[in-house]
Amino acid sequence: GVTGRGLAMAAAKRAKMAQQAAAEAAAAAAAEGDADRRVLAQFKSESGDLLGPPLELPHNVTPKQLQILCNKLLQNEDGDLPYSFFVNEEEVSDSLSATMRAQNLTSEEVLQVVYQPQAVFRVRPISQCSATIQGHADNIVELYFSPDGRRLASGSGDKTVRFWDIWTQSPEFTCAGHKHWVQCIAWSPDGAILASAGRDKEIRLWDPTTGKEIGKPLVGHTQFITSLSWEPLHLSPTPHSSRLASSSKDGTVRVWSVSGSGGHTLMSFTQHTKSVTCVKWSGEGLIYTASQDTTIKVWRAADGVMCRSLSGHAHWVNFLSLNTDHVLRTGPFDERGRPAGDDLRAAALERYNKFKESIGGEIMVSASEDNTMYMWKPASEKKPITGRMTGHQKGINHVLFSPDGRLIASGSFDKSAKLWDGKTGKFIGTFRGHVGTVYRLTWSTDSRLLITGSEDSTLKLWSIKDQRLVKDLPGHEGSVYAVDWAPNGETVASAGADKTLKLWRQ
């Protein structure tokens, strides 16, 4: 038919353009050096789709030249989108020939070159402390920016939650009501409510615009609350965030219905036999819980049925992270903190689906007191998808997928942070330099930088590409328990044992 012929002609035109682009890239590389030795290369996407025909390239072609070529083959309107290139999971950093040499590859066979899109925007590294703000009267144990990056909240041993004005760099609201330490806080993905909980076994809800409490405390747990997780906005039965999960030392997980007037328990999950350390509400309508009973359990959020129990760790499971964490946290807001549409729930759904497709589905990583980590596809499989991820010498406190879902960073009592491949779990490198436990990690939104916070009172800023220390950020007078990089990339906040909050900027 006509359409078939039209498509075939378009495809032929594309292939021709690709070859023309390849010839140009080859000519450019040839002009710069040894173009006699050539290699036949085939571009491939992360999911394995071939891009254009195999191309004959000079063996010393650089990543910059590969990028120009890749953009032409993909016919990107913007012309110069950033890509990284990999041969057998190893990044081409210098030239194709150097990568081939390192792997003892010959130019006899077609070389498969996998291209991987990088963040188009860049987050500038922070370099100085722009404010030190007093206010809390005890350790600050948690702090998080709102999903749009415009507000900041903290929870402290002084029994209060505080909101901070980032623009004027001063305290905004002090929220009293808890009867004991506040141990965890969580922003709803639409940014409309902050939940806090802790040693008084109660959850309180706060309005960030006024600092006032919403409704009565949510009561039901019989021991202190360890973690909170909101239902992702795209799954919410209402246009706003309306359900919240909490885990507790009492071995249970509760799901709460929340509205402008307060909330009530919808379900309670009771199959864990020891303290539940972490709860994660997945974008797939499941709830994942980690426990000191060494298991991770998977629950259906719709009816509370336990789907499976994941075993493998030999000691407490301390923390869980999903490769979708960042897109779930930011819901409808883009990397500048702007809503991606008027209908927040629809915007969140669109962002989630697009991200999930780019990453090839949800993966979870678990970190344990047994010094190891595992990777899982908890929505469908009960066995880990990788071998045990070993290397840390002591228990692991914190683990976090990068915002683009491609890397994992872990922080441990062994004073180091480590970097792992977010698909294969392969060890990439170690960040050494702290002289105390690494308590917390936070990524820049473009996944190019990592900050670690430690018992040694410093923050350290690391470059992911060359795995080196970019900047030492001293200034706190005690352990740093909490650090967060605003989702809009502009500010980093840190806090800890010295009761002060610090803001860091470029």
Side-chain angles (χ1 to χ4, degrees), residues 320-341:
L320 304 173
S321 176
L322 300 174
N323 60 354
T324 52
D325 272 350
H326 185 76
V327 73
L328 294 179
R329 171 191 182 174
T330 49
F333 302 101
D334 69 12
E335 74 280 352
R336 293 214 180 103
R338 299 168 307 201

Side-chain angles (χ1 to χ4, degrees), residues 33 36 63 91 121 130 157 185 229 288 303 351 398 442 446 472 475 481 488:
D36 299 341
E91 187 170 356
F121 58 94
S130 67
I185 58 170
S229 183
Y288 308 139
D303 54 13
R351 285 187 74 235
H398 197 204
T442 186
D446 63 1
D472 213 0
Y481 296 132
N488 60 17

